Amino acid sequence: MKKIEAIIRKSKYSTVRDALHEVGVNFFSYWDVTGLGNEKEGHVYRGVSYSTSDIQRRYLSIVVNDDFAETTIKTIINSAGTGEVGDGKIFVSNIDECYRIRTGEKGGNTLK
């Protein structure tokens, strides 16, 4: 199993969510996060531009079976990308085991 963690633009969240549902990813967790990165967002107040270093993003955490990881990653890249600096990052790590709390069942079938 793989854990896919993606940091994306908040404005792209609904597009990514819908694209993931279309390919069969029906459960994931997400958080609103603030971070620092290469993109610099600026705000204009009374005609004066102010640069801020804190950037608002949405953090997705998705666990899938190994054979579905590549599809999930490609879906996120295709639906979250704008081609501009600040589109985000995807991190992939291994998950050793997964348990369904209700039944005590373990393994990849618990993700279905």
Side-chain angles (χ1 to χ4, degrees):
M1 291 174 283
K2 300 289 185 193
K3 182 176 187 179
I4 299 167
E5 298 169 294
I7 301 170
I8 62 170
R9 295 176 186 272
K10 288 177 83 170
S11 62
K12 297 297 277 183
Y13 172 73
S14 59
T15 303
V16 173
R17 178 196 61 211
D18 294 345
L20 287 170
H21 283 305
E22 285 180 22
V23 297
V25 176
N26 295 311
F27 178 81
F28 59 89
S29 299
Y30 68 92
W31 299 265
D32 287 332
V33 296
T34 302
L36 302 171
N38 292 330
E39 180 186 18
K40 302 294 182 206
E41 287 187 355
H43 298 286
V44 177
Y45 178 72
R46 295 188 179 185
V48 178
S49 179
Y50 294 91
S51 177
T52 61
S53 58
D54 295 339
I55 301 169
Q56 300 295 312
R57 293 288 181 259
R58 189 145 287 167
Y59 183 97
L60 310 178
S61 178
I62 308 164
V63 178
V64 296
N65 285 313
D66 288 339
D67 59 346
F68 205 65
E70 196 62 34
T71 299
T72 304
I73 293 165
K74 285 181 181 178
T75 300
I76 294 169
I77 290 171
N78 291 336
S79 58
T82 66
E84 301 292 326
V85 172
D87 278 347
K89 297 277 191 283
I90 297 174
F91 306 97
V92 181
S93 55
N94 290 317
I95 297 293
D96 293 328
E97 198 61 77
C98 178
Y99 292 85
R100 180 172 288 147
I101 294 173
R102 177 176 50 89
T103 63
E105 178 185 8
K106 70 177 188 175
N109 288 334
T110 61
L111 301 177
K112 296 179 182 177

